[in-house]
Amino acid sequence: MGVSIPDDWLWIVVLGFIVSFLLAFGIGANDVANSFGTSVGSKVLTLVKACILGTIFEILGAVLIGYKVSDTIRKGIVDVSPYNNSEKLLLMGNLSALTGSCIWLMVATLLKLPVSATHSIVGATVGFSLVAQGARGVGWFKLGLIFLSWFISPVMSGGISALLYLFIKKFVLSKEKPLENGLMLLPLFYAATILINAISIFLDGSELLQFDKIPLYGAFIISVGLAVITAILVKLLVVPWMRNKIEDKLLQCKEEDDDLQNVPSEVRYKNGNSHVDLEVTEDSRKENQNGTLVKIEDVTIKSDAPKAGPETDQSLEGEKLITIENQCDSKSSTDSSSDKSKEGETRETIKDHPVTAKLFSFLQILTAVFGSFAHGGNDVSNAIGPLVGLWVISTEQSVAQKAPTPIWILLYGGVGISVGLWVLGRRVIKTMGEDLSKITPSSGFCIELGAAFTVLVASNVGIPISTTHCKVGSIVFVGRVRSNDNVDWSLFRNIIFAWVGTLPVAGCLSALMMFLLKEYAM
């Protein structure tokens, strides 16, 4: 069945679709970095793999759970009843909201500022409403809940992530033999991850998949069942496979340690067709607490061959350089029972034991995938909430907006977000994954799971909280728990300033756009 849109409204709808895609692009470039920034920062995923996974699961999240929050954005923040018989005014308001949010988010992305897309669209929505109807056009109670969630979300997400990290540190990371404890708890970690996300999917879920017809008890039965099945499969299949893989890696590392212990006083380093003789003194042999040679440094070059050293652009003669380094060092400065006090730690010394790095690498990818799925469900509403309002009002010619959110518009927003991730996503990924705090697979898993839990719960409640706030809160809490020196507080301060400025700036831009449209296009 065809749709009918009045001719004098058509230009608003067309512009709305264009601006909405640009807004989704900006969200993908800025906000999706939150989902995979920690995985890229801990070197568990490459940037390309993160973009591929992000594309798949952002779109799935948008289609399966995005409609619920989009309803809050388009009908919950602003009271639409004052716009009865003034449908065109509300259409222009939605266009203004899209435009104001889009401009601010694109500017912030180009400046590498990780801002909240939720703040942006809510501020823009309030901005146009104040111009169109004054204060009475704003749903202050709903707005108050959203304001409250902005403060609660980073604290709640950070608290959950920090507690999870402390649990893992006590029962896995600090143990003399972390492999056995980690393998014992691995089914529990997988089951918890599946349980949290399954409940969010099945509880009042997708109309497209008929999940909305599943009763409350049914959603919990299905979710618990999937979690139990996952735990059994992990116990029977993944744990033995992981044990063999890690033990083989440790054996390889032991052989490399033995080779390093037998390094002669003169080492012959080969680079291409040329050779360089390296004289190794006893002082250049650095050993860890177990007496294992981890690196040879301060070597003297005995050959005059230029540029023959490992990864150096300088002439080697008379230079000091590190020639041999054991990549299988089994000591972790923060995750061992023999650690030194935290006061002496720096960000550079923080790393996972090789065993725990292997254990948590795939778990971090799994939680990042669910985080991306949650982001698609929560933040796609920021891009298409006003667009859905445009479409439904123009096709129904009523401000009541009784029709549900069309799936194809959710898909449209998901595609726009994915394109933005591929084109500009790396800019904020570096800030979130590397600059704010040092992240390893174990801490990354805790960050991802805590943030995903908070966002997914909020999505199903219908409160459009900020994914950015959740992820930053988790990164800062876990980073601070792990080490006094593991958070860049100046960068965190700048991020806070960007958060504070987002809502008023986007609101002012939207208000200006609404004023211009009201003056010249009515």
Side-chain angles (χ1 to χ4, degrees):
M1 183 176 68
V3 296
S4 176
I5 300 175
D7 292 340
D8 60 334
W9 296 0
L10 185 60
W11 66 272
I12 302 176
V13 177
V14 172
L15 276 179
F17 271 89
I18 296 172
V19 176
S20 181
F21 190 86
L22 293 175
L23 174 58
F25 178 94
I27 292 173
N30 197 294
D31 245 27
V32 181
N34 302 333
S35 300
F36 287 98
T38 57
S39 299
V40 175
S42 65
K43 309 298 188 264
V44 170
L45 284 176
T46 64
L47 184 62
V48 172
K49 290 179 180 178
C51 289
I52 293 173
L53 291 174
T55 299
I56 295 171
F57 289 97
E58 288 287 331
I59 293 176
L60 283 176
V63 171
L64 293 179
I65 61 176
Y67 79 96
K68 191 176 186 68
V69 181
S70 69
D71 286 347
T72 300
I73 290 290
R74 66 185 171 112
K75 293 188 290 187
I77 297 172
V78 172
D79 181 13
V80 297
S81 59
Y83 295 90
N84 282 320
N85 301 318
S86 302
E87 288 82 3
K88 186 176 181 180
L89 186 64
L90 183 56
L91 289 177
M92 291 193 296
N94 281 320
L95 177 60
S96 300
L98 289 169
T99 304
S101 182
C102 175
I103 293 173
W104 169 242
L105 204 58
M106 292 298 291
V107 169
T109 301
L110 294 176
L111 295 176
K112 300 182 181 180
L113 295 173
V115 299
S116 168
T118 306
H119 278 216
S120 182
I121 195 65
V122 170
T125 302
V126 172
F128 93 74
S129 182
L130 290 174
V131 172
Q133 296 287 347
R136 70 188 182 95
V138 179
W140 294 109
F141 178 75
K142 191 68 175 181
L143 189 61
L145 292 178
I146 295 170
F147 268 115
L148 188 62
S149 75
W150 294 336
F151 294 100
I152 292 176
S153 57
V155 176
M156 178 181 175
S157 180
I160 292 172
S161 296
L163 289 174
L164 180 59
Y165 177 78
L166 290 172
F167 174 84
I168 290 174
K169 181 178 181 180
K170 179 176 177 61
F171 292 101
V172 180
L173 304 180
S174 297
K175 296 298 182 180
E176 179 112 5
K177 295 182 178 180
L179 177 59
E180 293 305 318
N181 293 69
L183 290 176
M184 181 177 66
L185 291 172
L186 203 61
L188 175 63
F189 294 148
Y190 276 90
T193 302
I194 296 299
L195 177 64
I196 290 169
N197 290 278
I199 289 175
S200 298
I201 293 172
F202 292 113
L203 188 61
D204 195 18
S206 171
E207 293 180 359
L208 178 66
L209 301 177
Q210 304 295 308
F211 289 166
D212 59 316
K213 297 180 180 179
I214 300 176
L216 178 63
Y217 70 87
F220 278 97
I221 291 174
I222 294 173
S223 301
V224 172
L226 287 175
V228 171
I229 292 172
T230 299
I232 294 173
L233 291 177
V234 170
K235 179 68 174 178
L236 296 178
L237 302 177
V238 177
V239 168
W241 173 78
M242 189 73 73
R243 185 192 304 276
N244 293 333
K245 183 178 179 180
I246 292 175
E247 288 178 348
D248 290 344
K249 180 65 176 177
L250 291 177
L251 180 61
Q252 178 186 350
C253 289
K254 185 177 184 303
E255 293 173 352
E256 292 181 7
D257 283 344
D258 293 339
D259 292 340
L260 286 175
Q261 290 283 12
N262 298 323
V263 173
S265 59
E266 287 193 359
V267 180
R268 201 164 173 75
Y269 174 79
K270 181 176 181 180
N271 181 34
N273 295 322
S274 61
H275 294 78
V276 178
D277 292 323
L278 309 177
E279 181 181 338
V280 183
T281 66
E282 289 301 317
D283 291 339
S284 67
R285 296 171 179 267
K286 304 295 182 184
E287 298 183 354
N288 67 12
Q289 296 177 3
N290 294 328
T292 304
L293 183 68
V294 294
K295 67 173 66 172
I296 298 174
E297 59 183 9
D298 298 337
V299 293
T300 303
I301 306 305
K302 298 179 64 177
S303 169
D304 59 356
K307 297 185 180 179
E311 298 181 10
T312 180
D313 293 329
Q314 302 173 351
S315 173
L316 292 179
E317 185 166 6
E319 294 289 334
K320 294 180 179 180
L321 68 158
I322 297 173
T323 57
I324 300 175
E325 183 171 352
N326 182 13
Q327 300 297 325
C328 299
D329 178 19
S330 63
K331 292 294 292 178
S332 169
S333 63
T334 62
D335 300 333
S336 172
S337 57
S338 60
D339 291 339
K340 58 186 177 179
S341 66
K342 285 193 172 185
E343 284 73 17
E345 294 174 1
T346 63
R347 178 183 293 205
E348 288 71 23
T349 65
I350 293 175
K351 60 181 177 179
D352 276 347
H353 190 290
V355 167
T356 57
K358 288 289 183 182
L359 283 174
F360 289 102
S361 290
F362 185 74
L363 264 174
Q364 188 183 2
I365 295 174
L366 184 65
T367 51
V369 162
F370 280 125
S372 178
F373 181 83
H375 181 272
N378 190 75
D379 281 51
V380 72
S381 62
N382 300 322
I384 59 89
L387 178 62
V388 173
L390 281 173
W391 178 257
V392 174
I393 292 170
S394 60
T395 53
E396 292 183 347
Q397 298 180 30
S398 169
V399 299
Q401 304 178 59
K402 294 180 180 179
T405 300
I407 297 297
W408 63 270
I409 295 185
L410 291 169
L411 182 63
Y412 178 78
V415 170
I417 287 176
S418 300
V419 173
L421 171 63
W422 279 95
V423 177
L424 290 177
R426 67 176 64 87
R427 301 171 75 89
V428 182
I429 281 178
K430 185 176 185 299
T431 298
M432 300 294 291
E434 299 177 13
D435 298 340
L436 185 57
S437 178
K438 175 72 175 289
I439 298 171
T440 61
S442 62
S443 62
F445 163 68
C446 301
I447 291 166
E448 296 287 356
L449 189 61
F453 175 79
T454 305
V455 172
L456 283 168
V457 168
S459 293
N460 281 275
V461 172
I463 300 175
I465 68 168
S466 169
T467 309
T468 305
H469 287 199
C470 290
K471 190 57 63 72
V472 170
S474 290
I475 291 173
V476 171
F477 270 63
V478 174
R480 178 60 181 83
V481 166
R482 193 163 194 182
S483 169
N484 294 340
D485 192 44
N486 195 28
V487 177
D488 187 337
W489 295 107
S490 62
L491 176 59
F492 181 57
R493 179 198 60 208
N494 293 337
I495 292 174
I496 294 295
F497 287 156
W499 288 357
V500 172
T502 294
L503 189 145
V505 171
C508 289
L509 290 171
S510 176
L512 176 61
M513 182 68 179
M514 185 62 187
F515 173 78
L516 295 175
L517 289 174
K518 195 174 178 182
E519 287 292 316
Y520 301 105
M522 279 298 290

